[in-house]
Structure formats: structure tokens, C-alpha cells
Amino acid sequence: MAKNENLHKAKDAKKDEFYTQYEDIQNELNHYEQHFQGKTVLCNCDDPFESNFCKFFLRNFNYLGLKRLICTSYSTSPVIGQQLTFFDWMDEPVVRGHGYAMDIREVPMANGRGVSDADIDALLKSKKRGVKKLEGDGDFRSEECIEYLKQADIVVTNPPFSLFREYVAQLMEYGKKFLIIGSKNAVTYKEIFPLIKEDKLWLGYGFRKDDAYFRIPLERAMGYAPGVYNPATGLVHFRNCTWYTNLDIQKRHEELTLFKRYYGNEEEYPHYANYDAIEVSKVSDIPCDYYEEIGVPITYLDKHNPDQFEIIGASRWLGKPMSEIAPKGSYVSGGVRFSLPVESSQNVHVERERERERDSSSAVSTTEWSSSAAGYRRLYDRIVIKRKVQRCHGRSHHLFG
């Protein structure tokens, strides 16, 4: 039984092997420099020798003023030992099939001006390398990895997507600050959304143009459609990934500048059939003079300012089942989402398209609609928000299109 369990664990681990690009790590971490002075950083889902997370913090150890860097690897890592040969603190070669921890408290600089690749290579081959073979397989849920977690101030990594809920739950249990990568779909998980609503977790800056590229093991390349995996680079391309954090960042305090008005344009903001709120299909269309509940796409969370708006909830938990308010056949069956009468949703869609054509701001509609039946149109996921700031002007963040 244990053997089968381990085989399944290894199989699942391979599905979660996405190695983050150094440039993407640097682009995001540039916004968090002030949080790392004197801190212990843990990267607990990364090969400590060839992970770009580990490489980034080694290279910037002195610049960020880190106190300590801990990186742990999972025993099934397929890249360990492929690029360089290292030894643990017992002078035994680092090999596949074992979990390892690297514990660094000092990164010497040969030229005194900055940490080079040569400095890192020399450190990891020296007696100060702090590389230790773990007793277990390096799973972040193991007792010895949890002990490292307890010693950390900030956790920064790309955790297994399939274990994202469990991973975040562990961070919350131990009260850790973190910056991690996850699927954008995670915002709708019943375990994750309450944390967003309660201001315990929020979105980071994200990947440039929403384009995330990850290196994967070669044997997994055949599992991706053309256009997703690039054999020339060895990278897969995803547009549904982002960064999650509970470290304060400037974007959370940038006020949305709102230009649209509800009063006088009520026909553009229909009420849902199964919840008492108005539909706003684009963040830029949020009215500045409406202080009741508003439904917006989940992309709103990229712009959320907790001082300006309160998050009330999400459509999949707030909406009333359509079966309770409309006859069968007049609505699309499925999980609870907000619905609009077909006539009103079509009118709004047409009116907003005409407006955008007049403004020449968009040649193609980006309005987000879902399936429709004879009487009602079922929308995609919506976040319900409510204004806190009692004014129609903002200063620092402008939205277009």
C-alpha cells in the first residue's frame, strides 16, 4: 500500500513541475525589497541548487540584507545534479532520489561589489554550503520541512498547483508572510476566496502582459498542445497564472479613478435576477455615484484597493438558485452564478458596444458573457463589491477600455 502511495505521489509531483524563469521572479520581487531586510527566507518547493528562486536570493542575499536563506527540494526533482555537481555537508554527492535542504547565512563576494555566478558556485562547493540530506523526501508537509517553515519569516516559491489549497492553508496555520505563484482560478476556491475577502491574501503584480513561461521536464513536453509548449526554448506558456501575497505593496493603495455615472444611465447597469446587485461587466465601467452592491469580473481583484472598496462576496456563494425564481428551461442549469434577463443583458451589450465605437477605444468587444437560455443569461464568476470612498474622483490609477 505504501509503495503504491509513493508511486502516485511521484506521478502527481511530475504534473506539478513548473520551473519559474529568473526574469519573472526578479520582475515581481522588485516591488517587495523593503520587506526582506534582516529576514529569513524559505523556498520550500524548489531544487536548492538549480531553482531560479534559490539563485535569485543567493545573488541578492547581501543587497536585500537577508539574515538567512533556506531552500528545500523534493526527492523526485528531475533537474537535480544535471547542471552542476554538488556535495552535502558530509561530502557525499548530491543525487536524485533524496530530499535536500540548503541553509545559507552568509554569501561572500569576491569583488566586494555584488554576488556573481562564480561566487555562488564557490559557495556551494565550499564548507559553508550548508547542504544537508533530509531524512524524508522533502515534501513541504513533512515534519522536518515544517520545522524549517517555523524558522522562516517569508516564504517565496512556486508551490504545486494541485496542492495550492493545502499549501496556503499551511502558511496561514503558521502565520507566515509569503509571495507565491498560483492559478488565477484559485481566487474562486472556497478555501482561498474567504482569505481574499478578509484581506488576508491578495494578488501581486503578476506576469508581464499575463504571459507566464515555465520550464518543464522534457518527458512532459508531449502532453501540451502546439503553441503551449515551445520545443526551441523548452518552455510552456500559460496566461492563467499570477502571484499571491500577504506582503503590503503599493498597488493596493492606488485609488481607482471612476468616470462613469449610474444615475441617468440606469439602463446600462441591470440588476441580477437572483441577487440584489447591479452588473458591471468591465472594471472601467464602475460608476462613481453608486454606493450599493456591484457585481464585477474577477479581474477586478488586480485593481482592488481595500480602502476604496469592500469585498462582499462572490456569485457562486451569494446567488440564489435560478430554480427557485424561474421556470425550468428559461435559464442555464449548472452551479450558482448570477443571471440577467436576456433582453436587458443584450441591450446593455449593444449600448456599450456603441459607446466604445464612438470613443474608438476598442474595435473588438471584451464584454464577458456566458451561456444563455430563453429567458436568462448566466454570467461567469462575479465578485461583489461596495464603495467605501464617498466621492467621484481619484488620483493615482486610471483605467481605459
Side-chain angles (χ1 to χ4, degrees):
M1 187 71 172
K3 183 177 180 181
N4 287 336
E5 183 179 342
N6 289 334
L7 286 174
H8 285 303
K9 258 178 108 175
K11 185 177 180 181
D12 290 339
K14 287 185 178 180
K15 292 179 182 177
D16 279 322
E17 286 164 3
F18 298 102
Y19 300 98
T20 314
Q21 298 300 289
Y22 187 95
E23 181 183 5
D24 290 330
I25 297 170
Q26 184 170 27
N27 287 339
E28 185 72 19
L29 266 294
N30 283 342
H31 301 284
Y32 302 81
E33 289 181 11
Q34 70 275 18
H35 293 290
F36 288 94
Q37 179 71 39
K39 303 299 184 182
T40 294
V41 172
L42 173 65
C43 304
N44 61 347
C45 293
D46 303 271
D47 186 297
F49 317 102
E50 291 160 37
S51 158
N52 282 321
F53 280 99
C54 185
K55 184 176 181 180
F56 174 85
F57 283 111
L58 284 172
R59 184 174 287 174
N60 293 280
F61 189 95
N62 299 315
Y63 174 76
L64 293 173
L66 296 185
K67 175 183 178 182
R68 186 179 171 195
L69 172 64
I70 306 170
C71 299
T72 60
S73 72
Y74 191 53
S75 62
T76 61
S77 169
V79 297
I80 191 169
Q82 288 187 358
Q83 297 179 29
L84 297 170
T85 300
F86 295 117
F87 297 85
D88 66 16
W89 66 319
M90 299 296 289
D91 285 329
E92 295 180 358
V94 171
V95 296
R96 288 185 61 180
H98 291 284
Y100 287 89
M102 183 174 68
D103 193 345
I104 300 294
R105 299 168 187 264
E106 177 186 2
V107 180
M109 298 180 290
N111 60 19
R113 295 191 299 273
V115 178
S116 65
D117 287 345
D119 292 327
I120 294 173
D121 187 39
L123 172 65
L124 297 180
K125 291 179 178 178
S126 73
K127 293 295 183 181
K128 295 182 179 180
R129 55 185 170 262
V131 178
K132 178 182 178 181
K133 183 189 296 183
L134 298 173
E135 294 181 8
D137 58 10
D139 190 307
F140 70 87
R141 297 164 293 189
S142 66
E143 289 187 12
E144 55 188 336
C145 286
I146 289 176
E147 284 303 313
Y148 281 120
L149 177 64
K150 291 177 180 178
Q151 299 170 49
D153 298 304
I154 306 175
V155 179
V156 185
T157 191
N158 180 0
F161 280 18
S162 66
L163 299 174
F164 190 79
R165 297 172 176 86
E166 189 172 355
Y167 188 83
V168 172
Q170 185 186 79
L171 294 175
M172 293 297 170
E173 179 183 354
Y174 289 95
K176 296 302 172 181
K177 296 294 184 180
F178 59 86
L179 176 60
I180 60 177
I181 296 173
S183 167
K184 288 183 178 180
N185 294 332
V187 301
T188 63
Y189 297 168
K190 68 180 188 302
E191 300 88 351
I192 302 300
F193 183 77
L195 300 176
I196 296 174
K197 181 178 179 295
E198 295 165 12
D199 210 25
K200 296 179 180 179
L201 177 154
W202 45 89
L203 273 61
Y205 283 82
F207 294 87
R208 285 184 176 177
K209 298 181 180 180
D210 282 336
D211 291 319
Y213 295 89
F214 301 96
R215 182 164 59 94
I216 61 171
L218 184 60
E219 62 267 23
R220 288 190 52 213
M222 298 300 292
Y224 293 96
V228 177
Y229 175 73
N230 186 336
T233 62
L235 302 176
V236 291
H237 176 209
F238 296 134
R239 293 183 61 82
N240 66 333
C241 298
T242 192
W243 294 80
Y244 292 90
T245 188
N246 60 355
L247 296 167
D248 197 27
I249 45 179
Q250 181 180 345
K251 66 175 283 190
R252 296 184 69 238
H253 306 288
E254 294 175 348
E255 187 172 308
L256 289 173
T257 301
L258 308 175
F259 298 101
K260 300 278 290 186
R261 291 185 177 272
Y262 172 78
Y263 294 102
N265 302 286
E266 289 90 342
E267 71 282 354
E268 295 185 31
Y269 299 99
H271 279 74
Y272 299 120
N274 57 338
Y275 187 73
D276 187 14
I278 61 171
E279 160 69 6
V280 180
S281 61
K282 292 183 70 67
V283 175
S284 56
D285 288 334
I286 295 175
C288 66
D289 59 344
Y290 193 79
Y291 301 101
E292 302 305 320
E293 295 183 12
I294 297 171
V296 291
I298 62 175
T299 53
Y300 162 81
L301 293 175
D302 271 325
K303 311 291 193 304
H304 178 58
N305 177 342
D307 298 322
Q308 187 179 13
F309 287 94
E310 175 188 3
I311 295 177
I312 304 298
S315 56
R316 60 177 60 195
W317 297 292
L318 292 176
K320 189 175 182 180
M322 287 299 293
S323 60
E324 297 181 12
I325 62 175
K328 188 174 182 180
S330 65
Y331 58 89
V332 177
S333 60
V336 175
R337 301 292 187 276
F338 290 157
S339 294
L340 289 174
V342 168
E343 182 179 355
S344 66
S345 64
Q346 289 176 340
N347 290 341
V348 172
H349 179 70
V350 169
E351 180 60 32
R352 287 184 177 163
E353 282 302 294
R354 287 174 178 170
E355 179 183 329
R356 290 186 176 93
E357 287 175 7
R358 290 195 299 269
D359 294 341
S360 299
S361 61
S362 176
V364 180
S365 171
T366 56
T367 306
E368 191 179 350
W369 305 108
S370 185
S371 304
S372 63
Y376 297 92
R377 186 179 296 274
R378 181 176 181 266
L379 305 177
Y380 291 116
D381 281 294
R382 291 294 190 257
I383 305 296
V384 177
I385 61 173
K386 190 173 182 179
R387 288 283 303 280
K388 287 184 177 179
V389 179
Q390 303 294 311
R391 56 181 177 167
C392 275
H393 301 286
R395 306 186 281 155
S396 55
H397 194 94
H398 294 267
L399 297 174
F400 301 94

